[in-house]
Amino acid sequence: MGLLGMVYQGKKQLPSPPTPSETSETGSPEDSPEVSSRFKLRDGRYLAYRERGVPKDKAKFKIIIVHGLGSSKEMNFLAPQELIDELGIYFLLFDRAGYGESDADPKHSVKSEAFDIQELADHLQIGSKFYVIGVSMGSYSIWSCLKYIPDRLAGVSFVVPVVNYWWRSLPDRVIKDDYRKKLVRWSMWFANHAPGLLHWWVNQKWLPSTSVLERNPVFFNDRDIDVLKTISGFPMLTQDKLRERSVFDTLRRDFMLAFGKWEFDPLDLRNPYPQNESNVHIWQGLEDKVVPVQLQRFVSGKLPWIRYHEVPNGGHLIVHYDGICEAILRSLLLGEEQVSFRPNTAKIIP
């Protein structure tokens, strides 16, 4: 079940290239200069990255976007080109360790994610402070940044972030009836103790295809399913790619890091902006079937300095909904808040 989850999460990350008529709405390469390259980290690994938006020397806002499970620096964050130009936004995307064109990290940890981001920012000289946005599984990299390099962060947005069921501060009353916890526990056991068996299992021809998963209401709400009809899949998550042990191991290790034992509990973190100089945001779909809304409400209740936004009728793929990326950017960069994204129910206060 964990590997099936990998498939459907990855499907959301990479929209098909926009047509000329779409470029004004998507911030496409035709409108935004972009460069894709690699550089050598201090430990000898290579990290691949991609630059988009306005040139960094002309940018007012510099944002690093962190991709989720099974995705890459090629993910498309659907920001309107007019907004990119108006605000002067520079985007920096990169392949996390082991993904795409980036080398695997034999010492990969939650902590190392933050320092990869910091080293990337310093290499490209984007300034002493920068914004970060983490999507889905990419959220654990952002929690790491809040823990280890908070002084480098100009502002933070989580988009449908995963929640680790084994954070110390998560009370049993919040998660005891969540069937996903059992699925994650079994997936973690197989990933840790029987990776060869798991690799064999996910390559069996009798497993459901990704097209079946796309129609499965267990994973997606109606709006998510509509999104999946309009975007292409991600080649890394086809059965042909999963047969490659290196691809399988990257996904397995990423999953194990996200749901394994962390060096810290995010719910113990302090407000990085005590003088209200900026904010941390969480964006959540009310009908998300991957990460239940109750968990996000608890997290934002435990950390009251987080600004919590809830998308009505939203599932796990809200980053692909019309207008959501613009709303994320306006709240992060300008402090604007739309009434329609205020939660209708009070947070679950610990």
Side-chain angles (χ1 to χ4, degrees):
M1 292 300 296
L3 265 295
L4 292 181
M6 291 179 181
V7 173
Y8 72 74
Q9 286 198 49
K11 293 282 286 183
K12 74 179 175 63
Q13 298 289 353
L14 189 61
S16 55
T19 64
S21 63
E22 296 172 327
T23 56
S24 63
E25 299 177 358
T26 61
S28 74
E30 287 77 3
D31 292 297
S32 300
E34 66 175 64
V35 177
S36 182
S37 188
R38 299 204 313 165
F39 82 102
K40 193 174 184 178
L41 295 159
R42 285 190 292 267
D43 64 7
R45 291 181 294 120
Y46 280 88
L47 200 70
Y49 62 89
R50 175 188 180 202
E51 300 173 275
R52 288 189 54 199
V54 304
K56 63 184 176 185
D57 59 342
K58 298 181 180 179
K60 297 178 182 177
F61 301 103
K62 297 168 185 177
I63 304 175
I64 297 178
I65 300 180
V66 185
H67 68 78
L69 185 71
S71 187
S72 74
K73 67 182 183 302
E74 305 303 325
M75 68 170 286
N76 207 346
F77 189 80
L78 304 180
Q81 186 63 43
E82 293 84 356
L83 183 68
I84 294 173
D85 295 337
E86 174 191 347
L87 299 184
I89 303 173
Y90 162 88
F91 293 107
L92 177 57
L93 301 92
F94 69 103
D95 290 332
R96 295 194 287 119
Y99 279 96
E101 300 173 277
S102 289
D103 293 338
D105 182 358
K107 298 180 180 180
H108 197 191
S109 66
V110 174
K111 184 176 184 178
S112 69
E113 289 277 313
F115 291 104
D116 280 358
I117 290 173
Q118 178 172 253
E119 196 168 343
L120 173 64
D122 290 342
H123 170 75
L124 290 173
Q125 300 180 335
I126 64 173
S128 60
K129 288 184 177 288
F130 46 84
Y131 294 85
V132 289
I133 298 175
V135 180
S136 190
M137 191 77 81
S139 60
Y140 80 80
S141 306
I142 307 303
W143 287 119
S144 181
C145 289
L146 283 169
K147 171 64 176 179
Y148 296 112
I149 58 168
D151 57 314
R152 301 298 304 273
L153 306 180
V156 176
S157 279
F158 294 93
V159 184
V160 293
V162 297
V163 176
N164 186 326
Y165 289 98
W166 290 273
W167 289 344
R168 293 190 306 274
S169 299
L170 273 181
D172 185 63
R173 64 182 175 83
V174 176
I175 59 178
K176 66 178 180 178
D177 297 325
D178 190 342
Y179 70 91
R180 302 166 191 82
K181 181 180 178 180
K182 294 181 179 178
L183 294 179
V184 171
R185 179 188 289 118
W186 277 106
S187 299
M188 288 287 289
W189 189 93
F190 277 101
N192 189 41
H193 298 289
L197 177 60
L198 189 59
H199 184 236
W200 170 85
W201 184 80
V202 300
N203 284 300
Q204 299 309 297
K205 294 182 178 179
W206 45 264
L207 283 178
S209 67
T210 54
S211 62
V212 173
L213 291 172
E214 288 174 6
R215 299 190 298 269
N216 196 328
V218 172
F219 300 136
F220 304 111
N221 73 345
D222 292 342
R223 291 187 72 181
D224 284 349
I225 291 174
D226 287 341
V227 164
L228 288 165
K229 293 175 182 176
T230 64
I231 65 175
S232 61
F234 188 43
M236 185 178 182
L237 294 167
T238 64
Q239 281 198 325
D240 286 341
K241 274 295 184 181
L242 284 173
R243 290 190 180 97
E244 297 179 21
R245 190 55 188 259
S246 61
V247 172
F248 171 82
D249 283 341
T250 291
L251 298 173
R252 178 178 66 89
R253 290 166 183 158
D254 200 23
F255 184 83
M256 291 177 67
L257 272 183
F259 292 104
K261 184 178 180 180
W262 291 19
E263 302 92 344
F264 65 97
D265 185 342
L267 302 185
D268 292 335
L269 293 176
R270 295 182 178 180
N271 184 359
Y273 309 113
Q275 305 302 318
N276 295 321
E277 58 269 39
S278 189
N279 289 288
V280 178
H281 302 259
I282 287 180
W283 287 80
Q284 172 70 18
L286 179 61
E287 299 176 3
D288 192 332
K289 298 184 180 183
V290 178
V291 184
V293 68
Q294 291 82 0
L295 289 184
Q296 302 294 16
R297 289 176 177 174
F298 177 83
V299 169
S300 59
K302 183 74 172 179
L303 302 174
W305 39 269
I306 287 180
R307 290 192 176 184
Y308 178 63
H309 313 265
E310 212 165 80
V311 180
N313 304 316
H316 195 63
L317 307 188
I318 59 172
V319 74
H320 287 294
Y321 295 2
D322 289 343
I324 296 299
C325 288
E326 179 174 1
I328 290 170
L329 291 174
R330 288 189 177 279
S331 67
L332 176 65
L333 305 178
L334 304 178
E336 296 181 4
E337 182 178 1
Q338 294 187 28
V339 175
S340 59
F341 297 133
R342 293 177 182 171
N344 293 326
T345 304
K347 302 174 184 177
I348 300 176
I349 305 299

